[in-house]
Amino acid sequence: MTRRARAALAIASACLAGCAPFNAKLAAVDPARPGYRLARLQPGQPPDARDRLFVVVTLSGGGTRAAAFAYGALEGLRDLRVPVDGRIVSLLGEVDVVSSVSGGSFAAAYYGAFGPDAFFARFQTDVLNRRLESGIALRVLAPWNWPRLLSPYYSRTDLAVAYYDSTIFQHRAYSELPDRPLIVLNATDLSAGAPFAFLQDAFDALCSDLEPLPLATAVAASSAFPVAFPPLTLRNWNADGDCGYAPSRAIDNAIAGGPELNAHDYERAKERRSFTDPARRYLHLSDGGIADNLGLRGVLAGIVSGVPDLPLLQRVNLDRIDRLVVISVDAKPGVSTKKDAHRGAPGLFTVMSRAASAPMGNYSTDSVAWLKSAIEGDATQVNDLLARRAACDGLFAGKEERDDCYERFAAGGDRLPHCFDFYGVHVQFENAPAETQERLKDIDTRLQLPRKDVKLLIEEGRRQVGESKELARLLRDLERPEDFPCPSAPDE
């Protein structure tokens, strides 16, 4: 027997003991195939209120702490009533995209799988008050699972997938998700150190079909906290090179431009191009918070990047979004100095938790600042152009003179530039009253928490959404649509 044959036999024997199933192979990539991506959120004929008001919610990582805080914030959005297209509706019903990582992915996936009624009726029982850590531990200790766990191709994360699939998500797959809201669960591609969004765009690059994938697989990958859970493995069928996938022109241009032209787009394009490397036969995915603990990077890339998974800017440029609302629900624990009152060093669990969560939290703060800066910079450019155009309009009555003035002062173009109102809401522990902040900071990053902590997190998330000044501004603006500050280009 040859060495290759013996290796194949060893792998086959191991898989008989336990091999996690791979993601489905896609025979041929068709970019026009809707799949599970932003394109399925098709706007209707203008005026389309569901697209004129575009709402994105991002849910951070942080175990059950993040899931409970997210639940409270979503409750607040459910209770917030806004006027849309002549009707008074719940703002939660107008949410178009939910982007999440780690603990927040439990809330996002459950909401997408079962809808708002079931979410508010059962999520606390099914997830927040369930002893998830104990449930997984019992399965690890069960003798009938030992043969699988001894295999190098089956891990505690795969066991968690099976547990979540049967007890929480009831075997729901991506094919069963509704069109709205688009649920974007994010993990981290460990080799690239980059976010990996469970959307068909990324799965096209893997020559894989996302629709039959169980939601539990994406949730487990998104929440695979380092050390506690090994990375989850996906098969990169593109390594075989037979599905017809070709990187987009934007990816080619970003790589050709190099890191000096646009470092973010270059790194993103390089990571996506790496899927075509024949040596990269597998992807190893870990906790989404490693690359982005707020679930905000993909949304930000959709506004400022040339190689996004969520091409939001395209919708803005097509004059389809008048009001963009981004609500970031951030369960970052903040700084707790109680351990510093004693000389003894903190325990292993505390060190591991802080070593992982502190950089993630700092990165989240940078993401919020980056989004605000990008939006403000874009608004400044639009306002400058509109000011130049207004000056030309005031100086010249004739069309030829005005057009000449537009050209001379770079204020021309057949269509006005994208112009929209932006509402940025950051729901975070730092917004809580001082006494509540201290209690929130001491809540661990775990998969199961005392019910009193869950109750506190829900109440605070709901309170902050209900008292948000930015959402109050949105409500006032929706009540006075005639005050929209941007001139509208003609509908196509």
Side-chain angles (χ1 to χ4, degrees), residues 106-174:
F106 284 92
Y110 197 101
Y111 181 85
F114 301 109
D117 292 342
F119 178 78
F120 293 114
R122 303 201 309 259
F123 185 71
Q124 290 192 62
T125 301
D126 286 355
V127 178
L128 299 182
N129 295 328
R130 183 185 293 272
R131 299 181 65 81
L132 292 175
E133 291 176 10
S134 301
I136 294 171
L138 288 173
R139 282 157 178 78
V140 171
L141 295 174
W144 51 85
N145 284 323
W146 292 352
R148 288 191 293 178
L149 289 171
L150 288 172
S151 165
Y153 308 108
Y154 195 92
S155 72
R156 292 186 304 279
T157 303
D158 298 305
L159 202 62
V161 171
Y163 176 50
Y164 300 158
D165 190 44
S166 61
T167 61
I168 297 176
F169 296 105
Q170 300 176 25
H171 310 292
R172 293 292 201 280
Y174 270 86

Side-chain angles (χ1 to χ4, degrees), residues 357-409:
S357 62
M360 293 177 185
N362 294 338
Y363 197 53
S364 298
T365 302
D366 291 344
S367 297
V368 174
W370 187 13
L371 175 63
K372 183 179 179 181
S373 175
I375 294 292
E376 288 177 349
D378 188 69
T380 298
Q381 293 181 17
V382 171
N383 290 336
D384 287 349
L385 187 148
L386 293 176
R388 294 194 298 274
R389 178 171 286 201
C392 290
D393 292 343
L395 289 172
F396 302 101
K399 184 178 183 305
E400 290 186 8
E401 292 87 352
R402 283 202 310 272
D403 288 346
D404 181 63
C405 183
Y406 291 165
E407 183 175 357
R408 181 175 302 180
F409 293 100

Side-chain angles (χ1 to χ4, degrees), residues 293-432:
N293 199 40
L294 204 54
L296 188 60
R297 303 297 279 196
V299 176
L300 177 58
I303 296 172
V304 303
S305 172
V307 282
D309 286 326
L310 291 168
L312 298 176
L313 185 59
Q314 182 182 28
R315 293 198 171 209
V316 174
N317 281 335
L318 291 174
D319 196 36
R320 287 177 177 161
I321 296 176
D322 287 343
R323 305 186 194 277
L324 175 62
V325 184
V326 178
I327 303 165
S328 299
V329 183
D330 183 359
K332 182 179 71 172
V335 178
S336 178
T337 58
K338 287 188 176 181
K339 301 292 184 182
D340 299 335
H342 308 283
R343 181 179 179 182
L348 178 61
F349 179 81
T350 300
V351 172
M352 287 173 51
S353 177
R354 295 305 299 174
S357 62
M360 293 177 185
N362 294 338
Y363 197 53
S364 298
T365 302
D366 291 344
S367 297
V368 174
W370 187 13
L371 175 63
K372 183 179 179 181
S373 175
I375 294 292
E376 288 177 349
D378 188 69
T380 298
Q381 293 181 17
V382 171
N383 290 336
D384 287 349
L385 187 148
L386 293 176
R388 294 194 298 274
R389 178 171 286 201
C392 290
D393 292 343
L395 289 172
F396 302 101
K399 184 178 183 305
E400 290 186 8
E401 292 87 352
R402 283 202 310 272
D403 288 346
D404 181 63
C405 183
Y406 291 165
E407 183 175 357
R408 181 175 302 180
F409 293 100
D414 295 332
R415 294 180 63 88
L416 291 172
H418 58 275
C419 178
F420 58 96
D421 259 359
F422 174 71
Y423 306 81
V425 181
H426 193 184
V427 179
Q428 56 183 328
F429 289 178
E430 283 77 4
N431 294 341

Side-chain angles (χ1 to χ4, degrees), residues 41-217:
L41 298 181
Q42 291 292 343
Q45 296 299 317
D48 180 8
R50 291 300 297 266
D51 219 23
R52 292 294 185 185
L53 171 64
F54 200 90
V55 183
V56 179
V57 175
T58 73
L59 306 178
S60 82
T64 296
R65 183 185 69 236
F69 200 48
Y71 179 91
L74 294 176
E75 260 195 339
L77 292 175
R78 178 199 63 184
D79 297 341
L80 191 61
R81 316 298 288 182
V82 295
V84 175
D85 196 24
R87 299 171 295 119
I88 302 298
V89 299
S90 165
L91 184 57
L92 182 61
E94 298 303 306
V95 171
D96 296 277
V97 176
V98 180
S99 175
S100 65
V101 296
S102 198
S105 290
F106 284 92
Y110 197 101
Y111 181 85
F114 301 109
D117 292 342
F119 178 78
F120 293 114
R122 303 201 309 259
F123 185 71
Q124 290 192 62
T125 301
D126 286 355
V127 178
L128 299 182
N129 295 328
R130 183 185 293 272
R131 299 181 65 81
L132 292 175
E133 291 176 10
S134 301
I136 294 171
L138 288 173
R139 282 157 178 78
V140 171
L141 295 174
W144 51 85
N145 284 323
W146 292 352
R148 288 191 293 178
L149 289 171
L150 288 172
S151 165
Y153 308 108
Y154 195 92
S155 72
R156 292 186 304 279
T157 303
D158 298 305
L159 202 62
V161 171
Y163 176 50
Y164 300 158
D165 190 44
S166 61
T167 61
I168 297 176
F169 296 105
Q170 300 176 25
H171 310 292
R172 293 292 201 280
Y174 270 86
S175 60
E176 299 172 81
L177 290 179
D179 286 348
R180 269 187 171 89
L182 188 75
I183 304 297
V184 187
L185 307 181
N186 297 278
T188 297
D189 176 355
L190 279 182
S191 295
F196 180 90
F198 280 80
L199 291 171
Q200 188 57 50
D201 301 84
F203 272 65
D204 279 349
L206 298 177
C207 294
S208 183
D209 188 0
L210 177 61
E211 293 208 337
L213 190 81
L215 276 172
T217 301

Side-chain angles (χ1 to χ4, degrees), residues 250-267 269-270:
I251 290 175
D252 291 337
N253 291 342
I255 292 176
E260 292 185 357
L261 182 63
N262 188 317
H264 178 273
D265 282 7
Y266 174 75
E267 292 298 329
K270 194 169 64 171

